[in-house]
Structures are given as structure tokens and as C-alpha cells.
Amino acid sequence: APCGAGSWRGNRAARARRPADELPAAPERRGHTALSFKAQMDHIRRSLATELDAYRRVLRHRRTPWLARLLLALAVGYVLLPFDLVPDFIPVLGQLDDLFLVPALVLLALKLVPADVLRECRALAAARRS
């Protein structure tokens, strides 16, 4: 087909010739403001502390199944103990086991915890932090 006004090439060329003030504005995020790097890191630190407190409460909750407790304890132990399944000096694989094993254990444990228990523990942790 010839490069007429209706083809994609013609439309792209027309857009390229438009002055900048005629171009549509970039969509703005509603309700989001730009945070400094320090503010973002502070938010992540607080969120992580709250989530870890919630996990601690889940471990101690009477309605948490024993398998979920075991998986959470294994995840915490794996992070804190000085040994790894795959030593860190092995390139890539040494870090990947930490990257995938711990989150997998935590996610499996949280899938086993009743939703109302998890909600309650997160609410108590958030109330304590605020």
C-alpha cells in the first residue's frame, strides 16, 4: 500500500512534525507524589519492620497451623544462620538460593495461615508501629 495519509507511516510522520506544545501531556499519577530516595527507603524500612512484626505474631498465634510455624521458622533460621545450602562463593547460584528459598518458604507458610489470623496479626503490628 502507498504511504498515504491513512497509513501508519504517514501518521507517525505527522506526529513527528507537530510542535511540542500540541503534543498530549504525559499522564499524571493520581494521588502519587514524588518521594525522595531517603523517604522511599524509610517507607520500605517501616513496612518491612511492620511485616516482620506481623510474622512474629503469626508464629505465636494459637490458631497458626504447625506446618506454617515450621516453614516460617525455617525461613528465619536460614536467614540468620551462617551456613547456606549452596555456598555464596559459587557465582550466581550462591546468591540465588537466598533470593528464592526464603521468600518461597514465607509464601508457603502464609498460604497455610488462616486469612483472619493473618489480618489480625498485621493489624496489631501496624497499630503498634503507628
Side-chain angles (χ1 to χ4, degrees), residues 1-71:
C3 292
S7 74
W8 67 273
R9 288 187 183 124
N11 290 338
R12 190 168 87 184
R15 281 195 308 268
R17 286 191 302 269
R18 262 196 277 184
D21 59 326
E22 290 181 18
L23 293 175
E28 294 182 17
R29 289 180 165 179
R30 292 187 182 127
H32 295 282
T33 58
L35 295 175
S36 69
F37 180 74
K38 184 178 177 184
Q40 289 176 355
M41 289 296 111
D42 191 45
H43 175 71
I44 290 171
R45 181 191 54 79
R46 280 179 291 168
S47 299
L48 183 62
T50 302
E51 198 66 15
L52 289 174
D53 187 30
Y55 295 163
R56 182 185 57 83
R57 291 172 185 275
V58 165
L59 276 171
R60 294 180 180 175
H61 199 282
R62 63 180 174 79
R63 290 187 39 222
T64 301
W66 68 269
L67 184 57
R69 289 179 191 199
L70 177 69
L71 291 173

Side-chain angles (χ1 to χ4, degrees), residues 20 25 43 47 88-89 97-98 116 125:
H43 175 71
S47 299
D88 285 339
F89 64 82
D97 72 327
D98 295 336
D116 59 325

